[in-house]
Amino acid sequence: GAVVSQHPSWVICKSGTSVKIECRSLDFQATTMFWYRQFPKQSLMLMATSNEGSKATYEQGVEKDKFLINHASLTLSTLTVTSAHPEDSSFYICSASATYSGRITDTQYFGPGTRLTVL
Amino acid sequence: KQEVTQIPAALSVPEGENLVLNCSFTDSAIYNLQWFRQDPGKGLTSLLLIQSSQREQTSGRLNASLDKSSGRSTLYIAASQPGDSATYLCAVGEGNQFYFGTGTSLTVIP
């Protein structure tokens, strides 16, 4: 089945530094990838939709300049949290929508998530 | 904007019991609905995907139903096992986006 990986699985950083999280589709091409954020005991909230080769679409309330998203290829999207602060500590999950033979399937495949802790 | 609610927020049952998890959504013009399982500190595992034209899907001990007109879906788990303990999320699909519910935390007591 389709597999999505994320790297790193967890990261601890100092306040003010930037952190990059990678999301890869391992055995399929993904024209669309999604980034979610999940705070403790809360559900996933969509942050942005990332389309290969174009600018990401951000949900209301998500700062574009703080959460930089790059989807440079059909198998890789990156989320960079710039100038991270303790309130950015969260669980970040990506998902990918598979494209087979040019058709976008209905199923999104989710990565295992990245736990970010900002000290 | 689509709002998805799950009831109950937490559930504790003895092993072997059958149980039902509920999901409701505000906008019935959905594309599909998916149930996920999430273990603590882990990502999501897809359990069942129901297309808008379908009324139910089954996989093993799991059965999910969908009633678009009333904005409801249920996840039925038969003969629950301790290994079923996890948080269960329902997500409503509109186009390529999912709107997630708040989740039901399930504990199955041996």
Side-chain angles (χ1 to χ4, degrees):
Chain A
V3 178
V4 174
S5 70
Q6 281 184 240
H7 179 80
S9 56
W10 59 271
V11 57
I12 302 173
C13 69
K14 293 183 179 179
S15 184
T17 61
S18 294
V19 175
K20 180 184 285 188
I21 302 170
E22 293 185 347
C23 177
R24 292 181 184 272
S25 56
L26 298 185
D27 51 2
F28 66 96
Q29 293 182 326
T31 57
T32 309
M33 288 185 173
F34 305 87
W35 287 96
Y36 296 85
R37 178 168 54 184
Q38 184 180 35
F39 292 107
K41 297 189 184 295
Q42 295 186 26
S43 191
L44 280 73
M45 295 297 294
L46 180 66
M47 297 175 66
T49 302
S50 166
N51 292 295
E52 186 265 339
S54 63
K55 291 184 178 180
T57 302
Y58 290 81
E59 294 297 300
Q60 194 173 8
V62 178
E63 299 176 56
K64 302 178 183 181
D65 296 332
K66 182 168 185 63
F67 298 99
L68 301 179
I69 292 173
N70 183 277
H71 193 163
S73 76
L74 284 172
T75 59
L76 173 65
S77 176
T78 60
L79 168 67
T80 301
V81 183
T82 62
S83 187
H85 291 284
E87 58 265 30
D88 298 324
S89 298
S90 187
F91 193 55
Y92 292 87
I93 298 179
C94 74
S95 70
S97 183
T99 301
Y100 296 106
S101 302
R103 297 191 301 273
I104 295 179
T105 67
D106 297 329
T107 304
Q108 286 186 27
Y109 300 95
F110 284 80
T114 296
R115 173 77 58 194
L116 171 63
T117 301
V118 185
L119 303 176
Chain B
K1 183 180 177 181
Q2 182 73 259
E3 292 185 8
V4 184
T5 306
Q6 289 185 247
I7 295 174
L11 182 64
S12 184
V13 301
E15 181 178 2
E17 193 162 296
N18 302 326
L19 58 101
V20 174
L21 307 181
N22 297 292
C23 173
S24 61
F25 45 95
T26 55
D27 186 352
S28 62
I30 67 172
Y31 191 59
N32 55 33
L33 185 144
Q34 196 160 351
W35 283 92
F36 294 90
R37 169 187 172 136
Q38 184 178 30
D39 292 287
K42 304 288 187 181
L44 304 180
T45 300
S46 177
L47 299 174
L48 290 165
L49 170 67
I50 310 176
Q51 302 292 350
S52 62
S53 58
Q54 298 174 323
R55 295 194 64 87
E56 67 176 345
Q57 282 286 334
T58 298
S59 176
R61 294 181 295 108
L62 305 179
N63 175 275
S65 67
L66 174 63
D67 184 345
K68 275 202 322 177
S69 60
S70 64
R72 294 180 192 171
S73 176
T74 61
L75 178 66
Y76 175 82
I77 302 178
S80 58
Q81 303 171 357
D84 295 331
S85 297
T87 295
Y88 290 81
L89 298 169
C90 76
V92 170
E94 290 185 17
N96 253 351
Q97 294 190 11
F98 276 115
Y99 295 92
F100 282 83
T102 48
T104 293
S105 178
L106 172 66
T107 302
V108 180
I109 304 167

